[in-house]
Amino acid sequence: MTSAEVANKLPKDFIWGFATASFQIEGSTNVDGRGKSIWDDFSKQPGKTMDGRDGDVATDSYRLWKEDIALLAQYGVKSYRFSLSWSRIIPLGGRDDPVNPKGIAFYSNFIDALLEHGIIPFVTLYHWDLPQALHDRYGGWLNKDEIVQDYVRYAKVCFQTFGDRVKHWLTVNEPWCISILGYGRGVFAPGRSSDRERSPEGDSSTEPWIVGHSVILSHAYAVRLYREEFKAAQGGQIGITLNGDWAMPYDDGPQNVEAAQHALDVAIGWFADPIYLGHYPEFIKQMLRERLPEFTPEELKVVKGSSDFYGMNTYTTNLCRDGGDDEFQGLVEYTFIRPDGTQLGTQAHCAWLQDYPEGFRNLLNYIWKRYKLPIYVTENGFAVKDEHSKPIEQALQDNDRVNYFKGITTSLKAAVLEDGVDVRAYFPWSFLDNFEWADGYITRFGVTYVDYETQQRYPKESAKFLVKWFGDNIDAGDKKLQ
């Protein structure tokens, strides 16, 4: 391999693989001592999921895990990002509640099998499935003093049990979604909202900000514990993963340029600024005033610098116009329609997602310049329109998803090799079609098709594209030179 060829590739230690989350794939919700999570009963309530279906079976991965690992090995991934189910490990969730040995054994065997196949386990501690018992006991994320202690104890059990083999930890997946969708808009469990048609209780003007604050502190105190008690011996890395899409001004008007920054402040800065810079964004402080919970000086010391890297989940780009009364978007209107009437990109199955790969490169540059830490892209993907209603043969020819990943991988490579952004990993969402939260099983994000009648897995064209692309575009090191 010539030096020019090496120079045009991602570094040999670049990590890539596919991502999932426990509640979306495992099923077996009342097996082997697992306790309920807030999604169990929530997904069974009429009207909470698009197709009225729940997570009791999902992709049956609790039973079919060996098959899943065999497929990951067949794909040749370097890593697999998955999440642990808190209520499988500590069924009642709390710091004085018993640990479930069968839950521990399941994940321990799973991690061992990944390593036997040469696959790096990339582990998320919390991906939205709070133990129901903690929500019932004290309000879950609404009760900072209790939840921080319970979450840190859960994290400690995981570090003690799996940390000898797990070297990549994510504390929490997408705090914005936990806070806004669970306690503001009320579309995700526990479904609290000021909208009384949607929820009998909740206050969308205060609760999301309280929850976000609790999540940041839970993350930060778990990281402190890891660094003080485990990192020296285990040698791993730990951080948080935040969602946030690129915000582009609708036009050059100064109000819209400012609006795009406000959108980024609320989507990303709300969590990233305290964690990486040590303070909330000025815009959020002005917007919320006394509704924004404050950190004590002692808490802020723990929060600032509490992530070894920037975990980034991103899917799309929004054109931003000044105006609107939605605080959750920074009082900014989002659109995909340009001033000339054209669409930003190809429309996905979900209304909030269009294909615009340039935005991915812009966001990588923005995050790198603002927070100055290595970036791990922990989720990124596309749901093809009406894929759920296509015959399998057609669904496997997922051209819109292939085009999405073609654009994204080109942008990824350009950001690293031309812009000098330090990106260390890329995990497309998702390894499998799965339970897509409020969308039920209608929206499919998988690079692997799942036939929910038979639980058969079928690789889509997008999986083949990504496997080949990473094979071609990561420096293989000395192997080829021998």
Side-chain angles (χ1 to χ4, degrees):
M1 200 189 297
T2 67
S3 58
E5 285 173 305
V6 171
N8 195 33
K9 297 201 172 197
L10 298 170
K12 61 178 181 289
D13 53 358
F14 189 92
I15 295 173
W16 76 280
F18 299 122
T20 59
S22 50
F23 192 78
Q24 294 183 264
I25 65 166
E26 285 180 359
S28 297
T29 48
N30 56 0
V31 170
D32 289 344
R34 176 188 177 276
K36 270 186 185 174
S37 84
I38 53 173
W39 272 94
D40 285 65
D41 291 347
F42 180 80
S43 61
K44 291 183 173 66
Q45 289 175 32
K48 298 301 185 192
T49 63
M50 217 180 270
D51 52 4
R53 296 169 70 191
D54 57 45
D56 283 1
V57 179
T59 65
D60 210 10
S61 290
Y62 187 77
R63 291 195 317 112
L64 301 178
W65 65 274
K66 288 181 178 163
E67 195 176 309
D68 285 350
I69 291 178
L71 182 55
L72 288 163
Q74 184 190 314
Y75 284 156
V77 299
K78 276 201 186 182
S79 183
Y80 178 48
R81 178 187 168 214
F82 63 98
S83 79
L84 306 175
S85 162
W86 185 343
S87 62
R88 223 182 257 296
I89 290 173
I90 307 170
L92 296 174
R95 53 198 179 274
D96 300 317
D97 293 320
V99 173
N100 175 23
K102 286 184 174 167
I104 294 280
F106 172 74
Y107 291 118
S108 196
N109 293 336
F110 188 84
I111 289 163
D112 286 345
L114 285 173
L115 291 168
E116 278 159 26
H117 286 85
I119 298 168
I120 298 165
F122 211 106
V123 178
T124 310
L125 288 169
Y126 183 78
H127 200 124
W128 306 352
D129 46 355
L130 183 76
Q132 180 69 45
L134 300 187
H135 183 73
D136 295 342
R137 198 178 286 170
Y138 55 72
W141 292 111
L142 289 165
N143 188 323
K144 178 186 87 172
D145 296 339
E146 294 289 341
I147 194 73
V148 171
Q149 294 183 70
D150 284 348
Y151 175 81
V152 170
R153 188 269 185 141
Y154 160 60
K156 183 173 191 172
V157 169
C158 297
F159 300 149
Q160 281 171 332
T161 317
F162 313 122
D164 56 332
R165 291 155 291 161
V166 173
K167 305 303 169 196
H168 297 85
W169 294 102
L170 294 168
T171 50
V172 177
N173 181 76
E174 302 189 346
W176 186 96
C177 292
I178 295 167
S179 311
I180 299 302
L181 302 181
Y183 298 81
R185 298 198 172 131
V187 292
F188 281 6
R192 293 175 67 89
S193 166
S194 292
D195 177 354
R196 287 294 162 259
E197 285 178 20
R198 190 180 286 288
S199 171
E201 50 190 8
D203 182 345
S204 303
S205 73
T206 57
E207 289 190 3
W209 316 108
I210 292 167
V211 167
H213 200 71
S214 297
V215 171
I216 291 171
L217 288 165
S218 297
H219 145 78
Y221 279 92
V223 169
R224 183 175 77 168
L225 172 83
Y226 183 77
R227 288 173 175 169
E228 288 180 354
E229 295 186 28
F230 297 95
K231 191 176 169 91
Q234 296 180 352
Q237 286 192 304
I238 188 165
I240 193 166
T241 199
L242 307 177
N243 58 297
D245 295 319
W246 181 237
M248 206 158 79
Y250 179 71
D251 57 24
D252 296 336
Q255 274 111 330
N256 293 333
V257 172
E258 200 178 2
Q261 183 58 51
H262 292 166
L264 291 168
D265 286 344
V266 177
I268 292 172
W270 172 16
F271 297 98
D273 281 16
I275 289 168
Y276 300 105
L277 307 177
H279 53 77
Y280 277 125
E282 203 50 50
F283 172 71
I284 290 190
K285 290 196 258 189
Q286 288 169 14
M287 179 175 81
L288 297 176
R289 302 198 181 272
E290 70 287 346
R291 285 182 290 141
L292 184 67
E294 286 184 29
F295 296 108
T296 65
E298 152 70 17
E299 287 171 342
L300 204 52
K301 279 195 195 111
V302 181
V303 169
K304 188 180 181 184
S306 61
S307 193
D308 294 338
F309 51 82
Y310 188 99
M312 172 171 148
N313 289 4
T314 190
Y315 288 84
T316 194
T317 294
N318 292 296
L319 289 165
C320 296
R321 263 198 308 241
D322 181 45
D325 55 3
D326 188 346
E327 290 184 334
F328 307 147
Q329 290 176 187
L331 307 175
V332 173
E333 287 178 357
Y334 288 176
T335 182
F336 289 131
I337 304 169
R338 295 188 180 92
D340 65 4
T342 57
Q343 296 283 320
L344 194 63
T346 304
Q347 180 60 48
H349 189 76
C350 2
W352 55 268
L353 174 51
Q354 284 195 2
D355 183 0
Y356 186 72
E358 298 89 336
F360 180 69
R361 182 176 179 179
N362 291 336
L363 184 60
L364 285 171
N365 275 278
Y366 172 83
I367 297 292
W368 173 238
K369 289 188 181 104
R370 189 173 176 99
Y371 303 116
K372 302 178 176 67
L373 278 177
I375 298 169
Y376 289 75
V377 181
T378 41
E379 276 183 39
N380 175 249
F382 191 82
V384 176
K385 203 162 179 34
D386 301 325
E387 194 173 84
H388 67 292
S389 56
K390 294 177 179 179
I392 293 182
E393 297 68 37
Q394 266 181 277
L396 298 182
Q397 304 296 318
D398 57 339
N399 298 330
D400 285 354
R401 188 178 287 106
V402 171
N403 287 334
Y404 178 91
F405 285 127
K406 275 184 181 163
I408 290 284
T409 48
T410 301
S411 284
L412 171 68
K413 204 169 158 182
V416 174
L417 298 178
E418 294 170 38
D419 307 337
V421 179
D422 186 1
V423 187
R424 305 271 177 99
Y426 179 72
F427 290 92
W429 182 270
S430 169
F431 170 45
L432 304 167
D433 289 333
N434 57 46
F435 175 75
E436 199 47 57
W437 308 109
D439 287 13
Y441 297 90
I442 289 176
T443 301
R444 289 175 175 261
F445 269 96
V447 298
T448 310
Y449 184 93
V450 176
D451 178 340
Y452 292 116
E453 300 301 309
T454 63
Q455 294 295 351
Q456 282 288 112
R457 278 81 157 128
Y458 302 90
K460 300 178 192 177
E461 286 303 313
S462 55
K464 295 172 191 172
F465 166 78
L466 286 160
V467 167
K468 183 176 188 318
W469 192 89
F470 281 103
D472 292 344
N473 286 280
I474 295 179
D475 172 18
D478 297 335
K479 282 187 283 203
K480 297 249 174 77
L481 300 176
Q482 287 167 0

